[in-house]
Amino acid sequence: MDPSNVNAQVIDVINQVQTATMSATVVKTSGAGKAYQSVAQSAAIAVQDAADALRNVSTIATTAAGVAMAQYLATGDEKYARVLTQAQTMMQGATDDFTRVGSAAATVLKDFPAQ
């Protein structure tokens, strides 16, 4: 097919589409949006992982506290009362970690340029 036989309107449409989708501004804005979405998704995954870790520590701490309380009530031995304190400390540490991860993720996302 001879290129000179192509309808001028078809060529104009192709040029307009190319300009609309491939201009430097469009490419830059699209790339920035994709980068922001990727960072937002990574931040959300980090928070999810921290929530899973908190849930797991909570399960372990609750189980340890239950066993320690049962042993303390049965024996009166103070070493079991100390386990309760350690379980609380473990939970506080996990809660603090969760808070730090959440705050860091929020800060990264807030400070990341959206454009």
Side-chain angles (χ1 to χ4, degrees):
M1 174 179 220
D2 182 10
S4 62
N5 292 336
V6 176
N7 185 310
Q9 289 177 321
V10 172
I11 293 172
D12 184 49
V13 167
I14 291 171
N15 287 334
Q16 286 181 36
V17 168
Q18 184 176 7
T19 299
T21 58
M22 299 303 292
S23 72
T25 303
V26 170
V27 171
K28 182 179 177 183
T29 302
S30 176
K34 288 175 185 173
Y36 184 82
Q37 288 174 343
S38 180
V39 169
Q41 185 176 22
S42 296
I45 290 169
V47 172
Q48 275 183 310
D49 289 347
D52 288 343
L54 178 59
R55 189 177 306 107
N56 292 338
V57 168
S58 177
T59 300
I60 293 166
T62 302
T63 302
V67 171
M69 181 58 78
Q71 290 297 319
Y72 180 69
L73 293 173
T75 66
D77 191 335
E78 286 297 316
K79 71 181 177 184
Y80 297 113
R82 289 191 299 273
V83 171
L84 295 173
T85 301
Q86 290 173 336
Q88 287 175 326
T89 301
M90 187 169 62
M91 270 305 299
Q92 186 59 55
T95 302
D96 292 346
D97 288 344
F98 178 77
T99 300
R100 279 192 295 276
V101 169
S103 294
T107 298
V108 166
L109 196 56
K110 179 180 66 97
D111 292 346
F112 194 85
Q115 296 187 41

